[in-house]
């Protein structure tokens, strides 16, 4: 009789423990992910809307941005923003109205450039909204964006378009120009007019012909190139891997390129052996190369 009683108690205890464990598993169940078709990179222009006009603008008014949606549940949305060499985590929520989805995603706030993204995804194809800086005194306090979904895949064969102009407008030089006027002014001993003009360096067509990712460059390939040519050829390697560039000087050459998608702030571990060798060669020649400066219209 005692044995039966002990057996009954043991079975009852096991049954209670099993129910408790099942309850704990149920309580700890991860929220179901929804709208996974919206996951991925949404890429486009990040355009200035409002700025502090009392100070000189040093930030770029237009950058390429990648908003990555990583997870959507009924309670939260997890993502990431990548722009101008800055990668920031995003967290917020999503609401549905009609056929559109509305998001509010916040950056952490521990960086001077952080803010809040509010946007909608229209017809599952266009992500459109605004970003407002936490700091109202930031140079650019509000931006707008209209993004499309793009899939990044490293392709060593993509090239810079040969129908574009590659002029460095971010780093001009000031040059004194002496205008002697017409011959009559000289005869009348009129003093020549002097004024300051901005001049710029511009790349040659070599940057659209040489592939620094697939072709092992030789000294003969680069020895006669301008400094700006060497810089662009080197940075095109990083652009192919989706590096988000920190400086405006570099971004100006890649942000408008269709195939360029910023996906990372460090791609050193992605470089091929050919690319690594070419980077060393290009940097060595950059040290001593020079540029020609001229006046160009913007």
């Amino acid at each position: 009789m005692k044995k039966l009683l002990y057996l009954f108690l043991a079975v009852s205890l096991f049954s209670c423990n099993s129910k408790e464990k099942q309850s704990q598993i149920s309580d700890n169940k991860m929220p179901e992910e929804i709208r996974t078709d919206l996951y991925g990179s949404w890429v486009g222009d990040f355009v200035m809307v409002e700025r502090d006009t009392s100070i000189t603008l040093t930030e770029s008014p237009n950058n390429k941005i990648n908003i990555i949606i990583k997870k959507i549940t009924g309670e939260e949305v997890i993502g990431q923003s990548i722009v101008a060499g800055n990668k920031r985590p995003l967290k917020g929520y999503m609401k549905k109205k009609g056929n559109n989805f509305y998001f509010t995603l916040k950056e952490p706030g521990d960086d001077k450039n952080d803010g809040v993204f509010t946007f909608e995804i229209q017809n599952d194809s266009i992500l459109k909204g605004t970003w407002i800086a936490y700091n109202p005194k930031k140079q650019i306090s509000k931006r707008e964006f209209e993004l499309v979904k793009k899939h990044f895949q490293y392709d060593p064969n993509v090239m810079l378009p040969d129908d574009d102009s590659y002029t460095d407008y971010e780093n001009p030089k000031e040059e004194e120009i002496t205008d002697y006027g017409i011959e009559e002014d000289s005869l009348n001993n009129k003093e020549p007019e002097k004024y300051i003009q901005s001049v710029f360096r511009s790349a040659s067509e070599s940057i659209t012909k040489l592939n620094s990712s697939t072709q092992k460059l030789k000294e003969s390939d680069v020895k006669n190139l301008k400094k700006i040519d060497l810089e662009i050829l080197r940075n095109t390697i990083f652009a192919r891997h989706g590096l988000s560039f920190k400086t405006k000087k570099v971004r100006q050459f890649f942000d408008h390129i269709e195939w360029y998608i910023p996906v990372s702030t460090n791609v050193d571990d992605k470089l091929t052996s050919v690319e690594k060798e070419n980077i060393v060669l290009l940097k060595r020649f950059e040290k001593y190369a020079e540029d020609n400066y001229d006046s160009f219209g913007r």
Side-chain angles (χ1 to χ4, degrees), residues 70-241:
K70 296 182 174 182
K71 182 179 179 182
I72 303 174
T73 70
E75 285 118 29
E76 69 174 1
V77 177
I78 302 295
Q80 189 175 66
S81 64
I82 302 175
V83 59
N86 206 18
K87 180 169 67 176
R88 305 297 292 155
L90 298 174
K91 192 172 183 180
Y93 57 89
M94 177 189 79
K95 291 182 178 179
K96 183 180 179 183
K97 286 184 182 179
N99 294 324
N100 293 340
F101 296 90
Y102 296 84
F103 294 75
T104 298
L105 299 183
K106 298 181 179 181
E107 293 171 315
D110 54 0
D111 184 280
K112 65 179 181 179
N113 295 307
D114 281 356
V116 181
F117 292 89
T118 55
F119 57 86
E120 62 178 307
I121 297 181
Q122 303 172 341
N123 302 318
D124 301 344
S125 60
I126 299 292
L127 188 154
K128 186 176 182 180
T130 60
W131 170 89
I132 297 177
Y134 288 132
N135 179 9
K137 294 183 179 179
K138 193 176 184 299
Q139 279 191 16
I140 299 177
S141 57
K142 185 177 181 180
R143 291 180 183 267
E144 288 181 343
F145 47 89
E146 186 170 316
L147 316 179
V148 295
K149 196 173 182 185
K150 290 190 175 184
H151 173 66
F152 172 78
Q153 184 172 351
Y154 166 66
D155 183 353
N157 295 303
V158 290
M159 299 289 287
L160 295 177
D162 57 8
D163 58 351
D164 213 335
S165 171
Y166 299 93
T167 300
D168 181 9
Y169 289 114
E170 293 295 336
N171 297 276
K173 277 187 176 180
E174 301 299 320
E175 185 178 83
E176 184 176 82
I177 304 296
T178 302
D179 183 2
Y180 291 95
I182 59 177
E183 186 178 350
E184 185 179 332
D185 292 335
S186 300
L187 294 173
N188 293 330
N189 296 320
K190 187 176 180 181
E191 286 292 323
E193 182 183 353
K194 293 185 178 182
Y195 60 93
I196 301 297
Q197 176 179 272
S198 292
V199 291
F200 308 88
R201 59 186 192 143
S202 190
S204 72
E205 65 177 10
S206 297
I207 63 169
T208 65
K209 308 299 181 187
L210 292 172
N211 188 322
S212 47
S213 287
T214 61
Q215 173 185 351
K216 186 174 179 181
L217 301 176
K218 304 185 294 291
E219 290 192 5
S220 58
D221 295 320
V222 301
K223 67 179 181 180
N224 294 319
L225 296 183
K226 296 184 284 187
K227 186 179 181 72
I228 188 173
D229 294 335
L230 299 166
E231 291 173 354
I232 293 176
L233 283 170
R234 175 169 56 84
N235 283 306
T236 303
I237 293 173
F238 295 104
R240 291 186 181 107
H241 286 280

Side-chain angles (χ1 to χ4, degrees), residues 3 14 43 49 55 68 105 117 124 204 243:
K3 287 182 179 179
F14 176 77
V43 183
V49 176
I55 57 176
I68 303 174
L105 299 183
F117 292 89
D124 301 344
S204 72
L243 180 68

